[in-house]
Amino acid sequence: MSAEKNWQFELEEYIKKGEKRIMESLQKKDYIRRVGGKRYGKWEIIDLNN
């Protein structure tokens, strides 16, 4: 693996970890949830007006 490929891989991993933390934080605040309550799948925004 070249140095450039390794750098890109590390950057991707860093972004994924940051994204995961953001989604977990929003989920704890009840702003988002998984569609159908599944562990993996699409996120949906919870209607804050209800």
Side-chain angles (χ1 to χ4, degrees), residues 12-24:
E12 278 182 30
E13 290 298 303
Y14 180 75
I15 290 168
K16 285 178 190 172
K17 286 178 185 173
E19 185 178 302
K20 185 177 179 185
R21 276 192 225 108
I22 290 165
M23 298 308 256
E24 286 174 354

Side-chain angles (χ1 to χ4, degrees), residues 1-11:
M1 190 179 281
S2 70
E4 187 177 326
K5 289 275 187 196
N6 192 32
W7 179 82
Q8 288 175 333
F9 178 75
E10 284 185 31
L11 183 61

